[in-house]
């Protein structure tokens, strides 16, 4: 499994609400074949971390190209960093 991890700054509660509604209604953007997504928000710092999960490295890279073309107004804030990762450990308690 692979993950695209993006850190954002200058995040507002209003922007997060808009993104939550859009993702719930529309799902991922066309061309993004994600197996899952997570959005972590620290409202006190005005930051967010988006994690998109992908079955293959190629699907992650294809999605990354789509995300890089997105208008900044469609993102939670200002992109501070982008990492394309292979997931080595993922564990959840029951």
């Amino acid at each position: 499994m692979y993950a695209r991890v993006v850190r954002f700054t200058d995040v507002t509660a209003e922007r997060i609400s808009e993104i939550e509604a859009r993702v719930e209604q529309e799902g991922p953007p066309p061309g993004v074949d994600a197996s899952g997504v997570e959005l972590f928000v620290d409202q006190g710092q005005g930051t967010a971390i988006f994690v998109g999960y992908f079955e293959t490295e190629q699907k992650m890279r294809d999605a990354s190209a789509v995300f890089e073309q997105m208008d900044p107004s469609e993102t939670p804030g200002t992109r501070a960093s982008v990492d394309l990762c292979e997931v080595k450990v993922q564990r959840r308690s029951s």
Side-chain angles (χ1 to χ4, degrees):
M1 179 186 308
Y2 293 84
R4 184 177 189 271
V5 182
V6 185
R7 184 170 187 281
F8 294 94
T9 58
D10 306 317
V11 174
T12 65
E14 296 80 21
R15 197 65 202 113
I16 294 301
S17 292
E18 292 170 9
I19 288 171
E20 284 180 290
R22 188 176 71 230
V23 169
E24 288 299 319
Q25 292 173 1
E26 302 172 14
V32 175
D33 187 9
S35 59
V37 298
E38 294 180 301
L39 180 61
F40 304 91
V41 179
D42 183 332
Q43 291 187 4
Q45 291 193 99
T47 59
I49 297 172
F50 169 83
V51 182
Y53 296 100
F54 303 90
E55 294 173 359
T56 67
E57 182 178 8
Q58 188 59 53
K59 287 182 179 183
M60 176 185 63
R61 293 194 181 283
D62 292 346
S64 190
V66 172
F67 286 127
E68 291 300 322
Q69 297 303 314
M70 286 180 81
D71 187 294
S73 69
E74 296 181 280
T75 67
T78 304
R79 279 189 196 116
S81 65
V82 177
D83 295 303
L84 303 179
C85 308
E86 182 175 4
V87 178
K88 294 292 189 178
V89 175
Q90 186 179 45
R91 181 171 185 243
R92 296 188 190 258
S93 299
S94 333

